[in-house]
Amino acid sequence: MAKILLEMKDIIKTFPGVKALDHVNLQVEEGEIHALVGENGAGKSTLMNVLSGVYCYGTYEGDIIYNGEICKFSKIKDSEEKGIVIIHQELALVPEMTIGENMYLGNEQGSPMAIDWDKTYGESDKYLRKVGLMESSRTLIKDIGVGKQQLVEIAKALAKNAKLLILDEPTSSLNESDSQALLDLMLEFKKQGMTMIIITHKLNEVAYVADKITVIRDGSTIETLDKKKDAFTEDRIIQGMVGRELTNRFPSREPEVGDTALEVKDWTVHHQIYSDRKVVDHVSLYVKKGEVLGISGLMGAGRTELAMSIFGGSYGRDISGQLFIDGEEVKLASVKEAIAHKIAYVTEDRKGNGLILSNPIRVNTTLANLKDVSSHGVIDRDKEVAVAEEYRQKLKTKCPSIEQNVGNLSGGNQQKVLLAKWMYAGPDVLILDEPTRGIDVGAKYEIYCIINDLVANGKSVIMISSELPEVLGMSDRIYIMNEGKIAGEMDAKEASQEKIMSCILKSSKGE
């Protein structure tokens, strides 16, 4: 019988007004990959923060038994000394520092008087090779992509002599090929005897790598599935997560498409720093009223750069081409002008660029349309409360109250606040960039319903997504982008994952 490496018994964690964990139990065997799944706000990340010492002993009830010993961690360093290392969803890397400096930040090599740089970079290079990253450890973090940064985080964990590696949404920002490479790396680590806990909303990944799955719902342990005995189908996992069968992942809609709402012609955008590089190359596209327009493509295809440049030139330089709204050419020199012309952009980076995490839901909801809740430059608090409460109910945001700080909400509920913020601005064209990244199937369905309601009311939605099933399930029409250009256009009824990928590959070959 396999050895139990970790046991968490009757863990209770309470925040003001919320019981986040209610007698949660978890057992992890040595050498297995154990998946932790549940809806946003179920308590998965909270449980791992208890385990790793982010929430120190005394702030929760229950026991952590690791390697047969009861542990009382007062800080992260305590758990790391035992070989428990967590990699959070938001990568903790300093862009302006080298890979090696990041890997040993807080764990500097050398003496108290001087850092041994030869040892730092030599050891870093050794661990980079273990994760299959061929970059020099002297490379700056800002000069490598997100997929490679994720590998740096894993190498950093190995350098801490990790015996239990916790990965929180490790592939949420990766494209399919990088995600697959990371999953295969996890399986390789398992062969070498490492124990891992993975938190992810991508259920196909769970089925691929996990030996066991523990389902958490509303702060309680629901069940643990074992690959040797139980079916690891997505429908079975979803049933445990949401407490019911989810027969249709995408709500049905009969589109009523009207006139063209927004059109760009010959749109070209240059990189903000490397001005000789085109990130959007002579793109022409349009979206109609009552239509969901999907934009698909691999990471780096130029989709986000296109969206942000349309949104008042918020990305890029030397932007050229024509932009038409309701058939009339306009020039939008700022985000303020874009909002005034009823265009909204919901960023893929909700925590970095979309929301003020230290402010409550009430404040975030009205940020993009303060003029409607103020008089003579003074915000009407009662009106602000009424608006925030209206959108909380309309979008079914789970929170104790609208005074809750957005940073304390789950990812799915943060996404709903971000949507509320832009919906209150009253846009006619809503650009959604990765609107369901890092959120669970139940919250995804609710956001899909919101999108359908918007287009049913004559709004236009441009949806950028790296998830092909989402693009196919929600769009009326699809543009495929590759290397800054439009590689193809398809009616969603005729499109398939194979056709989209074939279109990308053909354009890459110059066919």
Side-chain angles (χ1 to χ4, degrees):
M1 185 175 174
K3 173 187 173 183
I4 301 296
L5 180 67
L6 169 72
E7 187 171 9
M8 301 184 76
K9 297 174 69 174
D10 288 323
I11 302 295
I12 301 171
K13 174 64 180 172
T14 304
F15 296 105
V18 182
K19 185 176 269 190
L21 299 173
D22 189 4
H23 295 279
V24 170
N25 293 286
L26 174 70
Q27 276 192 351
V28 179
E29 290 183 357
E30 193 170 53
E32 76 175 3
I33 298 177
H34 198 114
L36 204 55
V37 302
E39 294 188 273
N40 286 103
K44 308 179 298 295
S45 294
T46 303
L47 184 65
M48 291 301 98
N49 284 337
V50 166
L51 171 59
S52 60
V54 173
Y55 300 134
C56 62
Y57 179 75
T59 65
Y60 62 89
E61 297 175 49
D63 291 320
I64 297 171
I65 303 167
Y66 178 72
N67 219 2
E69 177 188 346
I70 293 179
C71 298
K72 300 177 181 181
F73 302 134
S74 60
K75 54 186 179 297
I76 295 176
K77 204 163 183 68
D78 292 346
S79 63
E80 289 183 346
E81 285 173 357
K82 296 282 188 183
I84 301 171
V85 182
I86 185 168
I87 300 174
H88 294 281
Q89 185 176 352
E90 287 78 33
L91 302 182
L93 299 172
V94 183
E96 300 296 333
M97 295 175 72
T98 64
I99 293 173
E101 286 172 321
N102 271 278
M103 282 182 60
Y104 285 98
L105 189 61
N107 184 27
E108 286 75 12
Q109 302 300 292
S111 69
M113 302 301 293
I115 293 173
D116 185 339
W117 290 111
D118 288 339
K119 185 178 180 183
T120 298
Y121 288 119
E123 288 293 301
S124 296
D125 284 329
K126 181 178 78 175
Y127 287 111
L128 291 178
R129 301 303 168 260
K130 283 190 176 182
V131 300
L133 186 55
M134 296 300 119
E135 294 284 345
S136 165
S137 60
R138 296 175 188 271
T139 304
L140 294 178
I141 289 292
K142 68 182 181 66
D143 292 334
I144 61 174
V146 177
K148 291 181 177 180
Q149 289 180 22
Q150 188 68 263
L151 292 177
V152 170
E153 283 280 21
I154 294 173
K156 184 178 172 181
L158 295 183
K160 294 175 180 175
N161 196 26
K163 294 181 177 64
L164 173 59
L165 183 61
I166 305 160
L167 301 105
D168 191 351
E169 296 289 351
T171 65
S172 65
S173 299
L174 304 186
N175 60 33
E176 287 191 27
S177 60
D178 285 343
S179 296
Q180 187 61 47
L182 180 56
L183 297 174
D184 288 337
L185 182 64
M186 289 177 65
L187 291 173
E188 185 58 38
F189 286 161
K190 177 189 165 187
K191 287 179 186 175
Q192 297 169 16
M194 183 177 284
T195 309
M196 284 163 280
I197 297 173
I198 180 172
I199 300 173
T200 180
H201 291 115
K202 297 181 180 180
L203 301 184
N204 59 318
E205 295 181 355
V206 170
Y208 183 72
V209 299
D211 300 299
K212 289 183 185 162
I213 302 169
T214 292
V215 181
I216 296 180
R217 187 168 73 233
D218 296 329
S220 300
T221 310
I222 301 301
E223 61 183 347
T224 295
L225 305 176
D226 188 329
K227 202 172 210 170
K228 295 173 184 172
K229 299 182 286 187
D230 302 301
F232 269 26
T233 64
E234 292 189 21
D235 288 342
R236 175 67 184 85
I237 299 167
I238 289 168
Q239 187 175 344
M241 286 170 60
V242 301
R244 65 186 188 282
E245 283 192 61
L246 202 60
T247 53
N248 193 346
R249 300 279 187 92
F250 304 99
S252 60
R253 172 172 54 87
E254 287 297 326
E256 294 184 18
V257 177
D259 297 332
T260 298
L262 179 145
E263 183 175 11
V264 295
K265 292 182 179 178
D266 207 28
W267 197 257
T268 299
V269 182
H270 289 77
H271 194 283
Q272 291 213 142
I273 299 171
Y274 308 108
S275 57
D276 58 339
R277 182 178 145 210
K278 291 178 183 175
V279 290
V280 178
D281 192 357
H282 298 283
V283 164
S284 295
L285 57 76
Y286 66 91
V287 60
K288 296 194 170 186
K289 294 174 182 176
E291 181 181 42
V292 176
L293 175 70
I295 301 183
S296 183
L298 302 178
M299 193 172 289
R303 299 166 302 164
T304 293
E305 292 84 350
L306 170 65
M308 291 180 69
S309 62
I310 290 170
F311 188 55
S314 51
Y315 177 88
R317 59 191 297 178
D318 302 326
I319 299 171
S320 61
Q322 295 175 287
L323 173 63
F324 298 87
I325 297 175
D326 294 331
E328 182 179 332
E329 185 172 2
V330 296
K331 294 190 184 298
L332 306 179
S334 66
V335 168
K336 186 177 181 180
E337 288 183 22
I339 295 171
H341 281 82
K342 296 192 175 295
I343 300 175
Y345 170 67
V346 177
T347 176
E348 63 178 335
D349 182 10
R350 58 178 172 258
K351 291 189 175 182
N353 297 324
L355 298 164
I356 303 175
L357 301 182
S358 59
N359 280 7
I361 296 166
R362 167 179 53 80
V363 171
N364 276 276
T365 303
T366 58
L367 270 178
N369 191 14
L370 287 174
K371 64 180 176 59
D372 278 13
V373 290
S374 58
S375 176
H376 305 294
V378 178
I379 292 174
D380 184 332
R381 174 69 179 264
D382 290 342
K383 192 167 186 180
E384 188 181 52
V385 166
V387 168
E389 188 60 41
E390 177 190 345
Y391 279 92
R392 184 189 71 80
Q393 293 179 22
K394 189 184 290 185
L395 274 59
K396 299 176 183 173
T397 308
K398 291 180 184 175
C399 57
S401 81
I402 55 170
E403 297 305 323
Q404 176 94 343
N405 279 355
V406 170
N408 294 332
L409 299 177
S410 67
N413 287 305
Q414 286 180 358
Q415 193 68 15
K416 288 180 181 179
V417 175
L418 184 57
L419 276 170
K421 165 185 163 181
W422 287 111
M423 286 169 65
Y424 182 59
D428 291 331
V429 178
L430 191 61
I431 305 171
L432 305 176
D433 197 349
E434 303 287 2
T436 65
R437 172 174 287 168
I439 63 176
D440 64 79
V441 286
K444 280 184 178 183
Y445 190 88
E446 291 177 345
I447 286 173
Y448 297 150
C449 290
I450 293 164
I451 292 170
N452 282 357
D453 288 344
L454 287 166
V455 292
N457 289 319
K459 308 293 185 182
S460 305
V461 171
I462 299 174
M463 187 177 72
I464 298 167
S465 177
S466 298
E467 295 187 29
L468 290 179
E470 181 170 81
V471 171
L472 294 165
M474 287 300 297
S475 305
D476 300 308
R477 194 164 45 87
I478 301 166
Y479 284 110
I480 300 101
M481 283 190 73
N482 188 40
E483 297 173 352
K485 299 178 181 179
I486 296 293
E489 179 187 355
M490 300 179 188
D491 188 287
K493 291 176 183 174
E494 300 165 1
S496 66
Q497 293 195 41
E498 292 75 18
K499 285 181 180 179
I500 289 174
M501 289 308 299
S502 175
C503 183
I504 291 169
L505 292 172
K506 283 182 180 177
S507 70
S508 295
K509 293 175 183 175
E511 294 180 20

